[in-house]
Amino acid sequence: MASTVDRPSGRAGLNLGYLPYLLPGAIGFFVVVLIPFLMNIAVSFTRWKGIGVPKFIGLENYLKLFQDKTFWAAFEHSVACVIAMALIPTALGLFLGAVLFDYIGPRFGPRASSGLRAAFYLPQILPVAVAGVLWGWILSPIGVLNTILDGLGLHALSQNWLGDPATALLAVMFVMVWLQLGYALVVFMAGLARVDPALYEAAELDGAPWLSRFRHITIPMLKPEIFVVGLTTTIAALKVFAPVYVLTSGGPDNATTVPSYFAYYHFFTTNRVGYGAAITTVQTLITIVLGLVFLRVQRKQTEGAN
Amino acid sequence: MIAKKRLTAALALSLALAAGSHGVARADDSDKTFKIWWYETPDSAMGIAWNKAIEEFKAKHPDVTIAFEQKSWDQIEKAGSLILNSGEAPDLLEYNKGNAIAGLAASQGLLTDLTDVAAERGWDKTLTSSELLLSRYDDRGIFGTGPIWGIPDYGEFVAVYYNKNMFKDLGLEVPKTLAEFEKVMDAFVAKGITPIATAANDYPAQHLLTELALSKATPEWVQSYQGLKAPLDPAPYLYGAQTLQDWVKKGYVSKDATGLKATDMETLFETGKAPMVVSGTWFGGGFKSKIKDFEWGQFLFPGNTISSGSTGNIWVVPKSAKHKDWAYEFIDITLSKDNQALLGNSGGVPVAADPASLTDPVGLMMTENFKVLADRNGLGFYPDWPAPGFYEVMLQKTQALIGGTITPEEFVEQISGPYNEAQAEAN
């Protein structure tokens, strides 16, 4: 009897003990995320110019949205963004992290390794707007890259990088990789520091080449980091806005439009606030679903590992 | 037209918002504080003239504190109506003309109706009826008719800027007709020079296209187009689109323009790499101060009666303004002969200056060209005005046209869609 009474009161005590720590975050979440999101959902069922009285129109915005080619094209570009901001930086970050940790560090000293790590991380501390302006100068038809290529006699390689639909999305993707790589690299290098060096030594003594060690030790040991980086960068890719805004404004001819930019366009330039709200609602739902899938897979993997 | 400021404006937006709350000019709302906002930079002709107007106002009202805040064009474009709808609106502000911004605010009752004040103070005499077109918005927010909601005090238009030295080197004269214009361009192409620098990753390319379209337009077409009076009559745009693609093929305009911004275009002209640019009078001041190595001039688009152009952005008095009388007095000062002369002599285009008082060659040249256009009812406004968001549509489609990824027929079809939709919604 005593124990049954003790246990719930103990649990309640524990919950209450956590409460003050959860409170600031919860208030922030309610005020900054949840309430505006609910309002956004409400607005998505209306026709509204941003001022005046919104007019309820039911599912009209959603029906229109599903027939809007630009909207679907924007989601196709989101897939490209996931490749550029999540897949490539994760894979490349893992590889470069291992190279810096296993090869550069021991051979050229920790300074060389951390110097390079900082260099890869640099784009992360630069404001995206500034980075975008710089890359705009580099990738302009009269910009630095083409000038260098022309100077080297490689005229055939110089391109209208951001102005040609064939290259614009690739160019924006390249800048995204450049922006995101440092983040993945730094997390993976921190993860590598946690791995027991004895594992590598044993494998090395057994004659395992570097690639085998990378495949059989580094990748499995870094699974938690890979999931965290994968999840955060995928979410960042699904809501990406700034690089597209500063580099191409979604052009040429919508070749680089992404959902966030498309929503922004309707919110602020066409004054179709209800339609913009419908876009962001769908975008948020997709992001939440993908996030949950990620977390689920991660949990399964961790459970499997245990 | 003003979108060249877009990027810097985006950066400035957060700074300006932060500055606003730090109290640069955030005096209290006491009875003796007159709040004014505008977004013209301090070194622009308008900035110079209006700062002088502040001095004059202060001299007349030594007991009044002026709370001035420098805003960005983009800030008003994106958040103007929210500001007017809040308790934070100033007593007087420069506001973006056009249906999407000023029209929307007027139709939602956020602005003061200035019709009676304009008659009382004679603004409707100082400005011609065509100069007041963008001041009037009807209850749907469409310009041209209805009460006066704002007052312009400068003008702007699109024309051809040219490098006089490069023209002289090839023995070329200023062209008067489109055929002569093409001959001039042929001469440059023969020398391996792309005659017109433009930027299609930004607004200038749509202005060039519009000049070509307007060569086939009548004033009735302009009115109907800008006033959303009927579904789009695409004939002028089809001609413009065909000619522009033709010009790309002939080498008059580079396909690389699709990757260029307005500032790139500006640089190409200022560094003497391009003999001509087709763009607005807002470049005049910059060219005046930056070009030292050659002589340059401006001529109206050859063969056109109508060009893109209009009176500038407008002074509006928010409905909730606390000191409307001071706002009217300030507008009076900016429309005075002295202040208008200062605007012109600073490289701008005044609407109410005495021509004899203009001594600056750049201001004089542009003011004269503006007068030519205004006198022949040749101000065609801007292509993106009819509907909110039409700017993006025109930009993207002109870019695709120059890049050669759509045909002139597809261009017309793709701009007609959103236009006709907006037209149906408005009516």
Side-chain angles (χ1 to χ4, degrees), chain A residues 150-161:
Chain A
D150 289 344
L152 294 172
L154 301 167
H155 301 289
L157 290 181
S158 66
Q159 300 282 332
N160 184 359
W161 301 103

Side-chain angles (χ1 to χ4, degrees), chain B residues 130-197:
Chain B
S130 71
E131 284 166 346
L132 279 170
L133 279 181
L134 290 161
S135 303
R136 296 181 184 276
Y137 295 88
D138 65 16
D139 51 9
R140 300 170 304 159
I142 292 174
F143 78 89
T145 55
I148 294 175
W149 300 99
I151 296 293
D153 77 344
Y154 65 97
E156 54 179 45
F157 59 95
V158 172
V160 186
Y161 291 95
Y162 73 114
N163 181 322
K164 286 187 179 174
N165 295 32
M166 289 175 88
F167 267 58
K168 207 194 265 172
D169 288 346
L170 296 185
L172 299 167
E173 298 284 324
V174 168
K176 297 269 187 298
T177 63
L178 201 62
E180 282 179 24
F181 195 25
E182 292 194 339
K183 274 198 187 129
V184 164
M185 292 196 282
D186 284 332
F188 282 111
V189 171
K191 289 277 171 194
I193 299 167
T194 306
I196 297 179

Side-chain angles (χ1 to χ4, degrees), chain A residues 128-134 136-137 242-249, chain B residues 2-13 72-74 202 261 263:
Chain A
V128 181
V130 175
V133 172
L134 292 176
W137 287 342
V244 170
Y245 178 76
V246 287
L247 283 169
T248 59
S249 306
Chain B
I2 307 97
K4 67 171 175 168
K5 297 172 188 160
R6 255 182 113 184
L7 189 62
T8 36
L11 295 169
L13 181 69
S72 75
W73 181 84
D74 213 43
D202 215 333
K261 294 273 184 189
T263 46

Side-chain angles (χ1 to χ4, degrees), chain B residues 235-252:
Chain B
Y237 271 121
L238 185 61
Y239 169 81
Q242 278 162 346
T243 312
L244 184 59
Q245 266 194 348
D246 202 29
W247 281 17
V248 175
K249 279 190 201 116
K250 286 180 178 168
Y252 299 167

